[in-house]
Amino acid sequence: MNKRAISLLLTLCMIVTLFSGMTLSAGAVEAENEETTAVETVLPEGDHQAAEETEAAPEAEPAEEAAPVEEATEEAAAPAEEAEASEEAESAEETEPAEEETPEVDNWDFKAVFKSDLIVAANDKAGLGGDVLVDFVLGGAGKIYLPGKAVVEDLAISWADPDLTLTKDDVTYESGEAPLAPAGESVTYKVQKGNVIRLITLKTVQGSGDVEAMFLNIDESLGTIKAMNKDDEHETSCYGSVNYAGVDYPYFSMKGRGNSTWVFDKKPYNITFYKKADYDSKKKVELIDGVKSKKWSLLANYLDNSLLRNKVGLDLAENLGIGLDSAFVDVWMNGEFLGNYLLTPKKDYNAPDEGYMLENDHIPEDIPEQFEFPNIKEMPLKHNVVNVEDIGDDAVDAGETVETIQAWFTEAWNAVLDWDSEDYQKYFDLDSWAKMYLMFEVSKTYDCYSGNIIMHRDGLTENDKLIAGPAWDYDIAFGRTLHKFFVGVTEHKQLNAEGWYNDSVGMVASKEPYSILQGLGMHESFLQRVTEVYNDYKWAFEDLAADTDRQAELICDSAMMNNELWGTHSLSADYLVAPNTMSLLGTGSYQLRYEITLTWQNYVNNLKEFCTKRVMWMSDHMYAEYPAGSIAQAVNGEDIVLRAALTAGNGENSYQWQISADGKTWTNLDGETAATLRVPNTEESAGMLVRCVVKNAGVDIYTTHGGWTKASAQTILDPVPVDVETKEVEESKELQDGDLIVVLRGKELGAYTFTETDGGWTIQSADGQYAKADGRKVVYTDEPFVWSYEDGVFSAETKVTYTFFGRRLGLGFNRTVYLTRDGAALTVSLNSGDQATFLKRGVVQ
């Protein structure tokens, strides 16, 4: 089974799933089917709109101006009803009898009767860059679709047949003279050719002034439009010229694009520009300011009634630095209006010359440019594969092939699957993948599982990592879905604005990842970067709803014109849950309050509602600021105080201090879980490496694959060496027996008696206790304790059997405690520091 067949099968399954949510009655469906048959019978062979039409014909216009599309129901009126309205309009407005009686033709077709087209000819001065065909439906109702920048009053209706005339209010017009109705209004003409007379009603529909027009002029002697549109493999091309935004591009080709989106009437396309008429040497053109590309895509957005999802998604990705520039365009092909499209550079337009571009896809093909995604869990009807989209010319010259790419990718992915190692960071660019993870998270698109993830490697050296992007394809995201059955999560889960999404995808809980994003997300370090990136770009996520408003305002008239042709339809699958049960989607401030989807504006409002509530939930459940900062160090008496000084935090942080001798292997210090750590100000402490692991506990940041909950995120403050401060001892003086006053920073702490004895001196407090060096402390004892004295410094060596952090060291090690004489006073310190502690009954501390 080939790729297109698989895609069609999946699409049919999706449509079957959707029918339960559609409101079209069985009778209406039957009426549609009958009417479609009638249309195919009436239309002559060769008509440009003939049997290619598989859906119901566009809505017919009655003689009077039709109600705006906003007031229409979601399902278009049945064609039989349209024809009936047209017949009523004909009988009401036809005031002159035909010179010769002609038989009535039910649902008559203009071209079949008059063997001619009506067009509005290109007029650069009037802002019309190409011819526009009058789009007739059965019964004499027609619509004229015009770009927003066209000056309607400077345009006229033309035709090729010299025997054809249009008459209104007793004025008969020749070709090129018949005026159009103002935008949004209709005009009724009597059409006459010989003895044949009919009434036609033509409505002028105009797009948005800020949306550019694209006229695709196809030379069908080089390939027909029908053949291109019938080719599901997208191998058949058409050729011709393009007029875009008033600029002529003389040579271009186009072909179909897309899988599930291709099966619908509004077709998406890829277009390529060339330098010459031989269509050999490609040419970069700048269709969007600042963006030049040889290849461009026209996204139909048929499955998105709002028309906005791809645009706001790509805008967000562009703000993150992994997106594609895009612009709305209104498109005509050989004069026929196709609708409103989103123009973007083709997704692989920036493939690197010295590297390659890949796509994680889900449709297997027997082609050399594809290989199986190694060691990844699959789901029913889905297959994870990797397409080699492009290998740069320089990379090919360097010997890069599909086989070498597969070997490198397998090595990189196996590093991801090693959960206890951070080696995966040698292969994956964390920033871009964190951004891609967040794009799928905020949009809740099923593509996070099924593929459609683009990635590129810009070189072949060890330093060239795999970079995620560009991001694309969001027409079935942001609160709507077609693929709930295949994703392994419920529709409720996908439509809901709450909950972490990437890791919820999958048929069953498993520690094996279903996607590349799930694999990366099983690393704590990757999720940490995800959190940091979100907070760095929080402004961009919170702009989603505002961007929805901006884009809706920009394309409003073009969206109305698009819906005049295509209508709104249940196949878009938006908000299938009945409106009266929408309260079940979410709780509290995150509850989604969707509108009944009858109009384009309803769909826009619902998209904005999802974006608002989704980002609100993410911001509330992501750390406001990720714990970060540095370690501040100060000396306080005999101790050096290390403090985890956070420059960012989100409330209740927890701490774990660690120690290392080499900066590689770290050991937790038992019991040291406060924001500060006290280290003895000794020579032995000098250069000791200390760091702090800070966690922000009690926040539900992610639900990891398999259903675990991460209760905290952590940051490791950069390690610091303990800096032991010393000062030179002042000029020593002979110490005499007697009393000295102990002073600390100018404060007298009391009188002590110093007595010379064998080998040194004793220090006795006023109550007769002797000062004794004991481990890292000075304590008091009833028995004399001898201090050595030299050059103004008392010292005593003692054995330490416990470290300052409470761990037993067996035999221990020796250390020296110092007391420094300064003139007639004695400064008590450790290691001759000038930040002295004080002496009191009990201990020096």
Side-chain angles (χ1 to χ4, degrees):
M1 187 177 292
N2 64 26
K3 181 175 182 179
R4 302 299 167 193
I6 293 174
S7 176
L8 181 58
L9 174 62
L10 296 178
T11 303
L12 291 174
C13 292
M14 292 186 290
I15 293 174
V16 170
T17 305
L18 287 172
F19 282 156
S20 62
M22 298 174 65
T23 58
L24 195 62
S25 68
V29 173
E30 182 178 356
E32 278 197 328
N33 293 338
E34 291 175 355
E35 192 58 45
T36 302
T37 303
V39 171
E40 292 172 347
T41 302
V42 172
L43 289 177
E45 184 176 352
D47 183 22
H48 74 282
Q49 287 183 336
E52 296 178 35
E53 304 278 7
T54 57
E55 297 287 324
E59 182 182 358
E61 279 299 322
E64 297 180 0
E65 181 178 350
V69 70
E70 303 95 281
E71 298 175 7
T73 60
E74 180 176 344
E75 287 75 22
E81 296 172 352
E82 297 168 358
E84 184 179 339
S86 299
E87 290 173 354
E88 292 174 0
E90 183 178 341
S91 61
E93 298 200 18
E94 187 169 340
T95 56
E96 296 185 36
E99 293 183 10
E100 182 175 318
E101 195 74 19
T102 58
E104 290 295 329
V105 179
D106 292 335
N107 300 325
W108 66 277
D109 175 70
F110 182 90
K111 188 171 183 178
V113 172
F114 291 102
K115 312 300 181 185
S116 179
D117 283 319
L118 297 185
I119 67 171
V120 179
N123 186 328
D124 290 340
K125 291 183 179 179
L128 187 63
D131 293 345
V132 173
L133 284 169
V134 176
D135 182 25
F136 279 102
V137 291
L138 301 180
K143 295 177 183 178
I144 301 172
Y145 298 103
L146 295 175
K149 292 183 179 180
V151 182
V152 177
E153 55 266 30
D154 292 343
L155 299 172
I157 303 170
S158 301
W159 52 91
D161 189 341
D163 297 327
L164 187 73
T165 59
L166 265 61
T167 302
K168 182 181 185 301
D169 297 334
D170 298 325
V171 178
T172 298
Y173 297 95
E174 301 295 328
S175 175
E177 296 178 351
L180 284 66
E185 299 181 16
S186 300
V187 59
T188 298
Y189 282 104
K190 179 183 74 174
V191 186
Q192 183 169 357
K193 181 180 179 180
N195 294 330
V196 179
I197 298 175
R198 289 287 186 273
L199 292 181
I200 60 172
T201 299
L202 306 180
K203 180 179 180 180
T204 302
V205 187
Q206 190 167 20
S208 305
D210 291 326
V211 175
E212 297 290 356
M214 176 177 285
F215 290 91
L216 308 173
N217 305 305
I218 305 301
D219 181 355
E220 294 202 81
S221 68
L222 303 177
T224 67
I225 296 171
K226 182 176 181 179
M228 174 182 64
N229 285 344
K230 292 295 183 181
D231 182 5
D232 293 338
E233 299 298 325
H234 306 326
E235 295 176 353
T236 304
S237 295
C238 287
Y239 300 87
S241 64
V242 177
N243 181 283
Y244 175 65
V247 178
D248 289 318
Y249 301 91
Y251 312 111
F252 95 110
S253 69
M254 68 183 299
K255 61 175 63 175
R257 70 174 301 279
N259 296 318
S260 58
T261 54
W262 180 250
V263 303
F264 300 103
D265 283 351
K266 187 183 179 186
K267 304 290 187 185
Y269 299 98
N270 285 328
I271 58 179
T272 304
F273 291 85
Y274 298 87
K275 295 178 181 178
K276 297 183 296 183
D278 58 8
Y279 297 100
D280 182 30
S281 180
K282 297 180 177 65
K283 176 184 178 181
K284 287 186 177 181
V285 298
E286 187 175 350
L287 301 185
I288 297 176
D289 288 346
V291 181
K292 291 185 177 181
S293 179
K294 301 172 185 176
K295 299 179 180 181
W296 296 79
S297 295
L298 289 168
L299 307 182
N301 291 324
Y302 184 75
L303 293 176
D304 172 17
N305 280 331
S306 77
L307 303 177
L308 298 176
R309 285 184 174 81
N310 265 320
K311 178 59 176 173
V312 297
L314 291 182
D315 284 353
L316 173 59
E318 188 179 2
N319 284 333
L320 297 180
I322 61 168
L324 294 169
D325 291 277
S326 60
F328 285 109
V329 295
D330 292 327
V331 179
W332 287 257
M333 182 189 294
N334 283 10
E336 181 180 356
F337 179 58
L338 300 187
N340 180 263
Y341 283 73
L342 190 67
L343 174 71
T344 75
K346 195 169 180 290
K347 62 179 185 282
D348 60 355
Y349 85 101
N350 59 351
D353 291 334
E354 297 180 351
Y356 47 83
M357 179 165 280
L358 309 176
E359 179 178 4
N360 175 199
D361 202 358
H362 64 282
I363 300 180
E365 294 184 275
D366 187 17
I367 57 175
E369 294 81 14
Q370 186 182 83
F371 57 87
E372 289 188 9
F373 200 119
N375 303 321
I376 196 166
K377 193 172 182 64
E378 293 188 3
M379 292 176 65
L381 299 180
K382 293 289 184 178
H383 305 270
N384 279 283
V385 293
V386 178
N387 296 328
V388 181
E389 294 287 315
D390 184 71
I391 305 177
D393 293 340
D394 293 342
V396 171
D397 292 341
E400 196 72 359
T401 64
V402 173
E403 289 72 25
T404 60
I405 292 172
Q406 180 178 2
W408 186 91
F409 185 88
T410 300
E411 181 180 322
W413 181 243
N414 285 339
V416 172
L417 297 180
D418 185 356
W419 314 126
D420 297 324
S421 171
E422 296 296 298
D423 284 350
Y424 80 98
Q425 296 188 40
K426 298 177 183 177
Y427 302 93
F428 288 83
D429 174 68
L430 256 61
D431 275 16
S432 64
W433 284 102
K435 293 170 183 177
M436 185 67 76
Y437 191 98
L438 286 166
M439 284 299 305
F440 285 111
E441 189 64 62
V442 71
S443 64
K444 284 196 169 185
T445 170
Y446 82 104
D447 280 338
C448 67
Y449 154 69
S450 70
N452 294 343
I453 301 177
I454 307 297
M455 62 199 91
H456 54 97
R457 190 173 176 221
D458 295 346
L460 306 177
T461 71
E462 290 185 358
N463 295 325
D464 289 305
K465 300 180 181 182
L466 196 60
I467 301 169
W472 70 293
D473 202 8
Y474 294 96
D475 56 334
I476 47 176
F478 294 106
R480 51 91 64 249
T481 177
L482 273 175
H483 298 70
K484 59 181 182 294
F485 175 76
F486 302 107
V487 183
V489 295
T490 64
E491 180 181 80
H492 182 281
K493 177 77 173 179
Q494 288 182 288
L495 294 180
N496 202 321
E498 300 176 58
W500 299 113
Y501 185 69
N502 274 297
D503 282 324
S504 69
V505 174
M507 286 296 191
V508 293
S510 170
K511 292 185 179 180
E512 298 176 76
Y514 285 93
S515 75
I516 191 169
L517 296 174
Q518 285 182 348
L520 291 169
M522 295 171 82
H523 286 269
E524 182 86 16
S525 54
F526 178 74
L527 292 185
Q528 173 180 331
R529 189 62 193 134
V530 168
T531 305
E532 294 169 344
V533 167
Y534 183 83
N535 288 301
D536 288 343
Y537 290 91
K538 189 175 179 181
W539 61 270
F541 289 92
E542 293 181 344
D543 187 56
L544 269 173
D547 193 39
T548 300
D549 279 339
R550 289 194 298 270
Q551 301 306 326
E553 182 179 1
L554 183 145
I555 71 162
C556 180
D557 290 337
S558 287
M560 296 297 103
M561 185 166 71
N562 181 88
N563 287 357
E564 287 274 355
L565 176 63
W566 299 111
T568 57
H569 48 82
S570 293
L571 283 179
S572 74
D574 287 85
Y575 322 110
L576 285 178
V577 181
N580 62 346
T581 64
M582 276 297 175
S583 60
L584 298 177
L585 290 180
T587 56
S589 59
Y590 313 119
Q591 188 175 89
L592 292 169
R593 300 190 179 278
Y594 287 139
E595 299 174 359
I596 299 175
T597 49
L598 301 177
T599 71
W600 174 75
Q601 190 61 54
N602 291 144
Y603 286 100
V604 172
N605 293 344
N606 289 343
L607 171 59
K608 181 181 178 182
E609 173 76 357
F610 178 86
C611 290
T612 300
K613 300 296 176 63
R614 179 65 181 145
V615 174
M616 181 190 303
W617 190 92
M618 287 180 63
S619 292
D620 288 349
H621 290 75
M622 195 79 75
Y623 294 105
E625 291 183 83
Y626 202 81
S630 60
I631 296 176
Q633 186 171 180
V635 180
N636 185 1
E638 72 169 342
D639 291 343
I640 295 173
V641 179
L642 302 173
R643 180 180 298 277
L646 295 180
T647 57
N650 189 27
E652 298 180 0
N653 296 303
S654 64
Y655 307 86
Q656 175 61 64
W657 291 90
Q658 297 178 336
I659 189 171
S660 175
D662 57 9
K664 297 179 180 179
T665 302
W666 294 89
T667 303
N668 286 346
L669 300 180
D670 291 347
E672 298 297 341
T673 56
T676 60
L677 173 70
R678 302 180 75 89
V679 178
N681 189 7
T682 65
E683 291 179 352
E684 288 80 2
S685 300
M688 179 171 51
L689 287 175
V690 178
R691 74 180 188 184
C692 188
V693 179
V694 184
K695 292 188 177 182
N696 197 197
V699 179
D700 176 19
I701 177 173
Y702 285 108
T703 302
T704 63
H705 196 62
W708 314 315
T709 297
K710 288 188 183 302
S712 64
Q714 73 176 32
T715 189
I716 299 176
L717 301 185
D718 292 336
V720 298
V722 174
D723 184 14
V724 176
E725 297 197 8
T726 61
K727 64 171 287 194
E728 293 186 4
V729 178
E730 295 181 10
E731 181 180 353
S732 63
K733 298 180 180 179
E734 288 294 325
L735 181 62
Q736 304 294 327
D737 287 358
D739 295 338
L740 290 178
I741 302 297
V742 176
V743 176
L744 174 62
R745 295 175 186 154
K747 181 180 179 181
E748 294 184 3
L749 300 180
Y752 287 79
T753 301
F754 290 78
T755 306
E756 189 173 15
T757 185
D758 292 338
W761 296 75
T762 61
I763 306 172
Q764 196 173 17
S765 63
D767 60 0
Q769 294 286 299
Y770 293 91
K772 173 187 176 182
D774 181 21
R776 69 183 184 95
K777 300 175 290 187
V778 176
V779 298
Y780 291 87
T781 177
D782 293 330
E783 301 292 326
F785 182 86
V786 178
W787 295 81
S788 298
Y789 178 78
E790 184 177 1
D791 296 331
V793 177
F794 293 94
S795 63
E797 187 173 273
T798 65
K799 186 177 291 285
V800 178
T801 56
Y802 286 86
T803 66
F804 58 89
F805 38 83
R807 302 184 69 182
R808 188 171 183 84
L809 298 181
L811 296 177
F813 59 90
N814 293 331
R815 63 160 306 187
T816 304
V817 177
Y818 300 90
L819 300 176
T820 303
R821 176 193 173 207
D822 185 5
L826 189 70
T827 299
V828 182
S829 69
L830 297 179
N831 209 32
S832 303
D834 61 356
Q835 299 290 323
T837 185
F838 57 91
L839 190 65
K840 67 177 184 179
R841 283 298 274 123
V843 296
V844 173
Q845 58 184 9

